[in-house]
Every structure is written in C-alpha cells, then in structure tokens.
Amino acid sequence: MDRQAELRRVLEGPLPGEVSEQFLLRFTFTADDPRSVIALARDALATVLGPGPVWPDLAQWRERLPERFVAACAPERSPDDAEAGRATTPQEQHPATTAWVLSGWLAWFDPEALGESRGWQWWDAGLAGPAGAWVDVRIGAHPFPSGALEWLLRASGARDIDS
C-alpha cells in the first residue's frame, strides 16, 4: 500500500483525472452533520497515516488523534480481561455494534501489526444531501476487512453505514 498517496487523497482528494487501478467501493452514511463526519474521519486517518519514522505508543496516539475520536473509543482492556478468556483479536473485540478500543483500531494501521493487511485505502469522500455522505475506498479484493473503516466513520458521527 502506498501510504503517502493515500495520505494525499485523504487531505486533498484524488488528483484531477486520477483513476484507481483497483476496484472502488462506496460507503454511504447519514449524520446530523455529514461535513463534520468527513472532516473528523480525514483528520483521524491523516494522523495515523503520517506518524513519522517510529510508530507512537498508545499514550502518544491519545495525544495526537482528535479528542472527539479518542473519546468515542471503548476503554482499553485490562490484562486480567485477556487472561480470563475474553476476546483477544480485533475482530472478536469489535463486533459491528460496539465501540472499538483505540489500540485495536490502531493495529490496522501499524506497519508492524495488521497495517499491510487492512485491505482498503481511502480514495475520496463527499456529501449526498443535507444529512448524507459517502466515502469511496480502493480495495484489492472483496470481501475485505472493513471494520476499521466502519469504526472510523461511526466514531466520527456516522450512522446507517452501508456499502
């Protein structure tokens, strides 16, 4: 994945005439303020795509990411929870109806963890009326793990997400 090209598209959108060589999939959603949802999602995603040469620790991420996004995340699990046999994988921790822990979401962007298997890249986003919006993502295959994208949108204020 070309993180720098994705970061550029997050911040500026695709270049005029730029065409994806991979399949684009559109996610639609509703929100009270869809413009602010897109802005917050872009801000959070731009932050994790451009962390610098060293991947920050969780405390540093809490300082760097938008406060509203961090506040939407579930509390981190204690080591006792993991030892008691509770869910330990990002997919098990985060069914579609519950909040993700920040560390679980970040793992999908960490180049040393799941970052290379995320399966999608931001392509573009826009408004669809006063209470709707869309995000296009570039995917290499379908199905793909879309949970990190869906949590990004939900934590940013999106509802009724559909692809």
Side-chain angles (χ1 to χ4, degrees):
M1 289 188 170
D2 184 348
R3 292 172 77 94
Q4 291 306 312
E6 182 181 18
L7 178 58
R8 178 189 47 76
R9 288 191 304 274
V10 168
L11 297 173
E12 304 168 9
L15 296 171
E18 185 176 7
V19 177
S20 174
E21 295 178 8
Q22 293 178 306
F23 184 73
L24 293 179
L25 183 63
R26 178 161 288 185
F27 283 75
T28 59
F29 62 88
T30 61
D32 292 334
D33 183 358
R35 187 179 309 275
S36 73
V37 171
I38 292 170
L40 181 56
R42 281 184 163 141
D43 190 10
L45 190 54
T47 301
V48 297
L49 290 175
V54 177
W55 190 255
D57 64 26
L58 187 57
Q60 292 169 319
W61 279 122
R62 289 186 181 284
E63 293 295 318
R64 291 180 182 196
L65 285 162
E67 184 178 332
R68 199 171 116 209
F69 181 82
V70 172
C73 293
E76 293 294 322
R77 295 164 5 106
S78 72
D80 291 339
D81 288 343
E83 288 178 19
R86 293 184 178 90
T88 57
T89 66
Q91 296 87 348
E92 290 172 329
Q93 290 177 10
H94 316 298
T97 58
T98 61
W100 284 42
V101 294
L102 182 58
S103 61
W105 183 77
L106 288 167
W108 286 99
F109 300 91
D110 182 348
E112 300 296 319
L114 299 168
E116 295 304 315
S117 62
R118 181 168 33 118
W120 61 271
Q121 285 192 326
W122 183 282
W123 188 262
D124 201 4
L127 300 175
W134 53 268
V135 173
D136 286 343
V137 293
R138 185 170 79 171
I139 60 174
H142 197 278
F144 68 101
S146 63
L149 171 63
E150 292 177 28
W151 174 244
L152 171 67
L153 296 174
R154 284 192 310 127
S156 298
R159 298 183 309 270
D160 307 318
I161 301 168
D162 193 22
S163 62

